[in-house]
Amino acid sequence: MPENNRTKLLIARRVPQAVAARAIDEFQAYVTESDMDSWSVVDFCKTHNVQAVLVGKKSGLQKEHIAALPPTVKIIANASAGVDHMDVAYARKQGIAVTNAPDALTECTADFTMLLILAAGRRAAEYGKIMRSGWGKSFGMTEMLGKRANGKTLGIVGFGRIGRAVARRAQGFGMRVIYTDIVRAAPSLENGATFYPSVREMLPHSEVLTLHVPGGGEPLMTKEEFDSLPKGAVFVNAARGALVDEDALYNALTSGHLFSAGLDVYRNEPNVDPRFASLENVFLTPHMASATVETRDQMGFTALDNVAAVLNGKSALNPA
């Protein structure tokens, strides 16, 4: 691409074609064909005097990477909601804006959470296996029974955008919703959900439990937390794998304390603990909660909107 006076934007991760086309139309965009690693991003920015970077998990920028960036870089745009792959505080100290896309994923992730709740409760992994092996045997009235969502109490850890969107969907299935968060939500946002001041207080009442908080730090769900759930509970995680002690989860599933689990995220992605793949009462997906055409496009567009705002001297639309 010939040099010109347009903003130099490095897209360091693979993005949908619609996002790449818009970037090329609006910026002097360098679009990678494969996800770049962090140091490759730094080297590219130095060589090309880049002003903005759109990054992903592989190209996440921690303190040492940010310190090595050239002074031309004014914004690091993230096309997803989570920013655990970046040192946001250090970037701000260096005068670099960091943005994310919190709204773009909300509805899609909430849809997917309901998929996990239904699939785990209704034994979808087992039913799929039976059908792919040819079925061939009728099941009686007492065999292969799952658990319905209707009438169950859903515990939600984290009542932000996604947590509230899940609550609305669950209420549509006739579930009672309870939740916990750092502070209680306004009554208008609760929409009838019941607040508990701590995870520990809520867990014994959660027949189904779903997590919607950021990762990082010590696991939120350890043996003690799983033991606090009622026997036969369903556990769902479409947030972050780091929230869960996977040994404790495995033991809860194999001991019969948990009825089942629906998992989209794992501690060591993309190398999932093989023990979970061996369990019939676990429904597994490969971190796909935001994987729809509409949402992935919107994620990229939101990142580009933030780049345009910051480099036009305006405030970031979605500061991380």
Side-chain angles (χ1 to χ4, degrees):
M1 179 179 294
E3 293 295 313
N4 54 44
N5 293 324
R6 293 195 298 169
T7 295
K8 293 181 179 180
L9 166 64
L10 169 61
I11 298 184
R13 67 178 304 178
R14 288 172 293 179
V15 295
Q17 183 56 43
V19 177
R22 178 181 157 187
I24 291 169
D25 182 60
E26 296 182 11
F27 307 95
Q28 183 176 329
Y30 304 91
V31 182
T32 185
E33 294 183 358
S34 60
D35 291 356
M36 298 172 67
D37 62 48
S38 304
W39 285 115
S40 294
V41 170
V42 172
D43 292 341
F44 192 97
C45 289
K46 287 180 176 179
T47 302
H48 296 274
N49 295 317
V50 168
Q51 296 157 282
V53 186
L54 193 160
V55 299
K57 187 172 183 179
K58 185 176 179 181
S59 52
L61 301 173
Q62 299 298 338
K63 181 177 180 179
E64 62 270 24
H65 309 117
I66 295 168
L69 288 172
T72 54
V73 177
K74 303 301 180 186
I75 176 173
I76 302 168
N78 185 39
S80 62
V83 291
D84 46 316
H85 54 293
M86 293 186 285
D87 191 328
V88 177
Y90 185 75
R92 287 174 180 163
K93 287 182 180 179
Q94 300 301 107
I96 301 173
V98 180
T99 65
N100 65 347
D103 294 318
L105 294 80
T106 298
E107 302 303 329
C108 202
T109 302
D111 286 349
F112 202 84
T113 298
M114 289 306 301
L115 182 153
L116 294 176
I117 291 170
L118 296 171
R122 294 301 302 272
R123 304 176 72 154
E126 293 172 86
Y127 296 166
K129 183 179 178 181
I130 289 168
M131 295 308 296
R132 291 181 185 279
S133 65
W135 193 5
K137 172 187 178 296
S138 295
F139 291 102
M141 191 172 181
T142 61
E143 297 179 277
M144 296 299 296
L145 306 183
K147 293 198 173 188
R148 71 183 191 185
N150 179 268
K152 296 293 188 295
T153 297
L154 173 66
I156 300 176
V157 181
F159 209 61
R161 295 177 180 87
I162 296 173
R164 295 194 300 271
V166 170
R168 293 193 299 271
R169 286 159 173 76
Q171 288 165 335
F173 276 84
M175 301 184 82
R176 173 179 177 248
V177 176
I178 60 179
Y179 77 96
T180 186
D181 209 324
I182 297 172
V183 295
R184 182 172 181 172
S188 60
L189 296 177
E190 285 186 325
N191 193 32
T194 300
F195 172 71
Y196 281 81
S198 71
V199 174
R200 292 285 175 84
E201 291 176 79
M202 186 186 76
L203 290 178
H205 308 282
S206 302
E207 296 171 289
V208 182
L209 182 72
T210 181
L211 309 182
H212 298 289
V213 291
E218 294 298 314
L220 172 70
M221 296 298 297
T222 67
K223 181 181 185 301
E224 189 169 356
E225 283 74 31
F226 283 117
D227 287 348
S228 296
L229 287 168
K231 182 175 174 58
V234 174
F235 174 71
V236 164
N237 188 13
R240 286 289 183 266
L243 294 168
V244 178
D245 177 334
E246 292 189 340
D247 288 333
L249 174 57
Y250 179 81
N251 290 336
L253 286 163
T254 54
S255 69
H257 185 69
L258 288 181
F259 178 77
S260 61
L263 306 176
D264 187 47
V265 290
Y266 313 90
R267 293 194 68 85
N268 190 32
E269 295 180 14
N271 301 306
V272 62
D273 187 328
R275 294 180 299 174
F276 292 115
S278 71
L279 298 180
E280 292 190 334
N281 61 339
V282 183
F283 182 79
L284 302 168
T285 55
H287 202 148
M288 288 291 167
S290 67
T292 63
V293 172
E294 300 89 345
T295 294
R296 292 288 171 84
D297 281 352
Q298 187 56 50
M299 289 164 65
F301 294 156
T302 299
L304 296 181
D305 289 342
N306 278 283
V307 169
V310 169
L311 294 181
N312 282 321
K314 300 177 183 177
S315 298
L317 303 176
N318 306 102

